[in-house]
């Protein structure tokens, strides 16, 4: 079996939706980050066999956004590209699919991409609005068109917000934030604990940027007519405080809840690209690998408790790799919600009965939070849904490199009741 290695990776700054990247759609976000990755490595786009893009908020005018990005960044028409959607784990899915293709001998060089422009998730109109609108368009005479117009009612003009629709699980009927509220109640996680975790995320992200720990994984993006440079994430707050967080009202369960916009991930635009090659191909091009995927797993769980996905997937990945959580030198867990991450930490110690670690308690266990999200997480950095899984892989590898450490775990929950996890191993130069 061929050996796949991650040669390099880069990401755009993660920018709050509605911010400076509002007018940059997913195809352009993807193009700019892939082009930056290839240019930094002086790598010819024609030498890339395939581009795999994780994307959730698929643009209506770019059905297979991966193909659009591949062609726009200079890959030849003979190359191939496809888009994957595993909700929050789409970016991680692109990485594990790229590795699998290389190990199977189907490719020697693949770009794995995760990208989403959440600013551009559309607003929808109800079917009855569309039907009445079509009646206006199809009217042959001014009188027919006027008659069709008179059939509109005020309720017809009430929009359906696309991002809200996407954040509601159609099986459990719960919003993602409601699933976090459920875990907070079941695991007895207080509002104060959640706010303290959120504050730590901001503090660590701010510190990471001040100490120049994230610049080697982040490109400068240019936005707007004036091509304004964006060099850092727009999300981490230097002045965040427990007092400010404590003033925010619960957003999902407005009467009894503890989950607020302050202890939840930010809605964000961003893209992440990784250059993945067969080991001998990397050597042939004179490229030093950054690391490899030691093992990976996806696991299903109760959609109403989707936040526990990392517990299920991490146990599965560790078991398949013959490793234990205690061996991980760094751990990245996506911060969908503070309550969700804190529930996972408790789940690591006491796994659910249907988890692989329930019978083998040595797989998981307590996690030292000094190893967890050391540069902050999605509460501060943001969560472009299709991109985050790839960011976790890149961030873990770069931090292992900085610390001269070897092994880490990247994991995240997945809306709909899944978890994803990869074990990353740094390759020393």
């Amino acid at each position: 079996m061929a050996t796949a290695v991650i040669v390099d990776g880069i990401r755009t700054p993660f920018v709050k939706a509605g911010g400076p990247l509002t007018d940059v759609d997913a195809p352009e976000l993807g193009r700019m980050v892939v082009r930056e990755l290839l240019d930094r490595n002086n790598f010819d786009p024609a030498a890339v066999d395939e581009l795999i893009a994780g994307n959730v908020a698929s643009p209506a005018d770019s059905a297979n956004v991966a193909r659009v990005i591949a062609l726009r960044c200079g890959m030849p028409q003979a190359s191939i590209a496809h888009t994957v959607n595993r909700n929050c784990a789409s970016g991680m899915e692109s990485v594990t699919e790229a590795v699998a293709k290389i190990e199977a001998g189907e490719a020697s060089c693949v770009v794995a991409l995760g990208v989403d422009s959440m600013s551009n998730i559309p607003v929808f109109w109800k079917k009855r609005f569309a039907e009445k609108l079509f009646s206006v368009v199809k009217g042959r005479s001014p009188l027919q068109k006027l008659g069709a117009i008179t059939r509109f009612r005020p309720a017809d003009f009430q929009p359906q917000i696309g991002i809200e629709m996407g954040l509601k699980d159609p099986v459990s009927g719960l919003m993602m934030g409601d699933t976090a509220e459920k875990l907070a109640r079941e695991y007895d996680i207080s509002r104060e604990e959640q706010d303290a975790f959120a504050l730590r995320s901001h503090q660590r992200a701010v510190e990471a940027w001040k100490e120049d720990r994230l610049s080697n994984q982040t490109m400068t993006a240019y936005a707007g007519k004036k091509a304004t440079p964006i060099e850092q994430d727009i999300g981490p707050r230097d002045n965040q405080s427990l007092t400010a967080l404590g003033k925010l009202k619960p957003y999902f369960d407005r009467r009894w809840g503890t989950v607020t916009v302050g202890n939840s991930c930010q809605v964000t635009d961003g893209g992440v690209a990784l250059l993945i090659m067969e080991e001998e191909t990397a050597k042939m091009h004179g490229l030093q690998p950054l690391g490899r995927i030691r093992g990976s797993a996806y696991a299903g769980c109760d959609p109403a408790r989707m936040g526990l996905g990392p517990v299920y997937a991490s146990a599965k990945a560790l078991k398949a790799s013959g490793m234990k959580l205690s061996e991980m030198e760094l751990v990245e867990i996506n911060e969908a919600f503070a309550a969700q991450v804190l529930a996972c930490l408790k789940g690591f110690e006491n796994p659910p009965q249907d988890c692989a670690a329930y019978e083998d308690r040595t797989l998981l266990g307590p996690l030292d939070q000094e190893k967890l999200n050391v540069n902050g997480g999605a509460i501060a950095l943001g969560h472009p849904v299709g991109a985050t899984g790839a960011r976790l892989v890149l961030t873990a590898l770069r931090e292992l490199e900085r610390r001269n450490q070897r092994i880490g775990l990247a994991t995240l929950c997945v809306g709909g009741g899944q978890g994803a996890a990869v074990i990353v191993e740094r390759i020393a130069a």
Side-chain angles (χ1 to χ4, degrees):
M1 182 181 292
T3 299
V5 295
I6 298 172
V7 171
D8 196 9
I10 196 71
R11 67 177 178 90
T12 69
F14 280 11
V15 177
K16 287 189 291 186
L21 290 178
T22 296
D23 296 327
V24 184
D25 61 12
E28 178 57 17
L29 276 173
R31 185 208 64 79
M32 68 167 65
V33 74
V34 171
R35 190 72 234 191
E36 179 78 12
L37 175 69
L38 298 177
D39 287 348
R40 286 191 179 206
N41 289 278
N42 195 27
F43 198 80
D44 186 354
V48 179
D49 297 313
E50 184 168 5
L51 185 146
I52 304 173
N55 177 247
V56 177
S58 182
D61 59 355
S62 302
N64 180 11
V65 70
R67 178 63 170 171
V68 176
I69 292 168
L71 295 176
R72 287 183 179 175
C73 72
M75 289 174 59
Q77 294 180 14
S79 64
I80 57 176
H82 72 277
T83 305
V84 295
N85 183 346
R86 196 191 284 265
N87 210 333
C88 311
S90 299
M92 190 169 284
E93 179 76 33
S94 74
V95 174
T96 56
E97 280 201 19
V99 169
K101 278 182 169 285
I102 290 171
E103 290 180 344
E106 297 177 12
S108 60
C109 178
V110 180
V111 170
L113 169 70
V115 64
D116 253 323
S117 173
M118 301 186 77
S119 293
N120 285 288
I121 296 176
V123 171
F124 297 92
W125 303 96
K126 295 178 180 178
K127 186 178 181 181
R128 66 172 180 264
F129 176 87
E131 290 171 345
K132 292 176 181 180
L133 187 62
F134 287 143
S135 295
V136 175
V137 174
K138 290 188 293 183
R140 294 185 177 182
S141 69
L143 190 60
Q144 287 178 329
K145 291 181 182 293
L146 181 61
I149 290 173
T150 62
R151 288 194 287 272
F152 281 102
R153 297 293 179 267
D156 295 332
F157 295 93
Q158 183 177 0
Q160 294 177 300
I161 310 302
I163 193 166
E164 289 185 1
M165 295 167 66
L167 291 174
K168 185 174 182 178
D169 175 53
V171 177
S172 67
L174 297 176
M175 295 289 289
M176 294 299 101
D178 292 322
T179 70
E181 289 281 14
K182 190 176 185 68
L183 293 180
R185 290 191 296 270
E186 292 180 355
Y187 284 87
D188 193 25
I189 300 167
S190 69
R191 167 71 183 270
E192 290 73 22
E193 289 176 289
Q194 294 173 55
D195 286 351
F197 185 88
L199 177 61
R200 191 189 71 171
S201 182
H202 282 280
Q203 290 173 334
R204 289 187 170 184
V206 168
E207 181 183 12
W209 273 111
K210 285 182 177 178
E211 295 185 359
D212 199 30
R213 283 188 251 141
L214 299 177
S215 59
N216 67 344
Q217 62 183 261
T218 311
M219 63 179 281
T220 299
Y222 296 89
K225 295 180 180 179
K226 296 182 179 180
T228 304
I230 306 169
E231 298 179 338
Q232 294 189 7
D233 301 309
I234 298 178
R237 297 188 181 100
D238 194 8
N239 62 346
Q240 187 60 281
S241 68
L242 286 176
T243 301
L245 288 166
K247 291 179 180 179
L248 298 173
K249 295 182 179 180
Y251 187 82
F252 299 96
D253 181 349
R254 295 182 184 273
R255 185 174 183 183
W256 305 111
T258 56
V259 177
T260 71
V261 294
N263 55 42
S264 306
C265 66
Q266 299 183 38
V267 179
T268 312
D269 303 328
V272 185
L274 294 102
L275 186 59
I276 304 177
M277 294 184 181
E278 196 278 321
E279 190 171 32
E280 293 303 316
T281 301
K283 289 180 181 178
M284 182 180 70
H285 287 279
L287 296 170
Q288 170 61 40
L290 177 61
R292 62 168 60 90
I293 301 299
R294 177 80 172 264
S296 64
Y298 298 91
C301 62
D302 179 2
R305 297 171 176 81
M306 67 92 199
L308 292 177
V311 178
Y312 291 84
S314 297
K316 194 173 176 181
L318 290 164
K319 184 176 182 179
S321 303
M323 302 192 75
K324 297 177 175 60
L325 182 62
S326 59
E327 297 177 72
M328 301 297 106
E329 296 169 287
L330 283 174
V331 175
E332 289 283 333
I333 302 178
N334 184 44
E335 298 170 356
F337 303 93
Q340 165 261 322
V341 179
L342 293 170
C344 284
L345 296 182
K346 294 190 176 186
F348 284 157
E349 293 193 55
N350 294 290
Q353 290 187 11
D354 56 345
C355 175
Y358 184 76
E359 297 296 335
D360 183 359
R361 296 302 180 97
T362 64
L363 283 174
L364 299 177
L367 175 63
D368 181 358
Q369 291 199 43
E370 292 305 309
K371 297 180 179 180
L372 174 64
N373 298 356
V374 296
N375 294 315
I379 289 174
L381 300 172
H383 178 26
V385 180
T388 294
R391 183 195 69 79
L392 296 174
V393 173
L394 174 59
T395 298
L397 283 171
R398 282 298 181 195
E399 186 62 19
L400 287 170
E401 177 186 53
R402 190 184 75 83
R403 294 176 174 229
N404 195 27
Q405 293 177 329
R406 189 176 66 88
I407 201 83
L409 172 71
T411 182
L412 72 170
C413 61
V414 182
Q418 295 187 81
V422 296
I423 299 167
V424 298
E425 182 177 21
R426 181 181 71 90
I427 299 174

